[in-house]
Amino acid sequence: VGNNQRSLKNLFTSNDIVGQCMQKFKSFFAAIDNIQEKYPEVFKSPSKLKWAISFYHSRGTQDVIDGNMKRAHHAAMCATLMNGYFSKSSDVSTMNICDIVQADNKTILAYFRKRASCSCLDEKRKEYKGVKKTGKCCNNQCPLPGRVTERSSLLYCTACKLVQYCSAECQKANWKYHKHQCTNIAELNSVDDELQKIAQARSNTLL
């Protein structure tokens, strides 16, 4: 195994946010391939595929109304991945998935409210009106409770723009772990390129 392959493997198996995003990609595509073998007729119908995305939007919206934000979060991730997988624009990237993986409840609410064709989430929006959006520091040793702080105060890594920290101290403390991904950011971008090519190729088969 060459150095480049080992570095890429580290990106996939890491426990931090980038690793989580890449695992979401791998799990999603594996699941799609498995379902496609069982129900090939569905994957030949653009209308049925659009219905599947619409289903996750609808289910997630109801989950928000019911207060089941964990399931709503899952629905948002599935809808985002499916939209990227099947859309002609191939809008599937690590950055997009990282945003959803890290999203707080207020962001998930905004995600579904933007896609809802009715005003059913207006009351929920009022509940979250005074709530500030939050994010999680990527330093596993962060002293903050749950590593959570206001999103507006988070500092993003200027090199990869994927990971975030609550302070310069946390960023420095985590650098020895994060630097391997940062130095291989070109490989991470190449993974995005490959995922986009896969999405575009599979989208073209539906035309």
Side-chain angles (χ1 to χ4, degrees):
V1 181
N3 290 334
N4 290 341
Q5 289 176 305
R6 280 197 295 270
S7 298
L8 190 55
K9 183 179 179 181
N10 289 336
L11 287 173
F12 283 117
T13 58
S14 171
N15 288 324
D16 66 18
I17 191 63
V18 179
Q20 290 178 41
C21 293
M22 299 313 293
Q23 287 294 347
K24 297 294 183 186
F25 276 134
K26 291 179 66 181
S27 298
F28 175 78
F29 285 126
I32 286 294
D33 288 339
N34 183 49
I35 296 173
Q36 191 166 7
E37 289 181 7
K38 294 182 179 179
Y39 308 103
E41 68 279 3
V42 174
F43 288 80
K44 295 178 182 179
S45 171
S47 61
K48 290 181 179 179
L49 293 175
K50 289 180 180 179
W51 178 89
I53 297 172
S54 177
F55 164 78
Y56 279 112
H57 287 162
S58 177
R59 198 199 78 179
T61 298
Q62 186 60 53
D63 288 336
V64 172
I65 293 173
D66 295 340
N68 192 340
M69 297 306 292
K70 183 176 181 180
R71 207 168 85 142
H73 200 154
H74 177 266
M77 285 192 289
C78 288
T80 299
L81 282 162
M82 291 190 76
N83 186 57
Y85 185 87
F86 298 120
S87 70
K88 294 175 68 174
S89 63
S90 302
D91 184 22
V92 55
S93 71
T94 308
M95 182 67 78
N96 290 341
I97 303 306
C98 281
D99 287 343
I100 292 296
V101 169
Q102 299 180 90
D104 61 354
N105 288 348
K106 187 172 184 178
T107 301
I108 294 298
L109 167 61
Y111 173 90
F112 287 111
R113 187 169 180 271
K114 180 179 179 180
R115 290 160 177 79
S117 58
C118 61
S119 58
C120 59
L121 293 178
D122 286 357
E123 288 301 315
K124 279 291 180 180
R125 181 173 180 269
K126 292 178 182 178
E127 292 180 23
Y128 282 90
K129 188 173 182 180
V131 178
K132 294 184 180 296
K133 290 185 177 181
T134 60
K136 181 175 287 188
C137 178
C138 289
N139 176 22
N140 289 331
Q141 304 304 317
C142 175
L144 294 176
R147 294 157 43 202
V148 174
T149 186
E150 289 185 23
R151 184 182 298 180
S152 59
S153 67
L154 289 169
L155 307 173
Y156 280 84
C157 173
T158 56
C160 70
K161 296 180 174 59
L162 287 177
V163 300
Q164 55 196 17
Y165 302 96
C166 66
S167 65
E169 289 73 22
C170 271
Q171 184 173 14
K172 290 177 182 178
N174 194 59
W175 176 243
K176 61 182 177 181
Y177 304 108
H178 176 58
K179 64 181 179 181
H180 303 294
Q181 291 176 334
C182 240
T183 53
N184 287 293
I185 194 66
E187 290 181 87
L188 184 58
N189 287 335
S190 72
V191 171
D192 273 352
D193 291 341
E194 287 304 311
L195 289 171
Q196 290 175 1
K197 288 177 183 178
I198 291 171
Q200 184 64 62
R202 290 177 176 176
S203 174
N204 288 340
T205 63
L206 300 176
L207 301 179

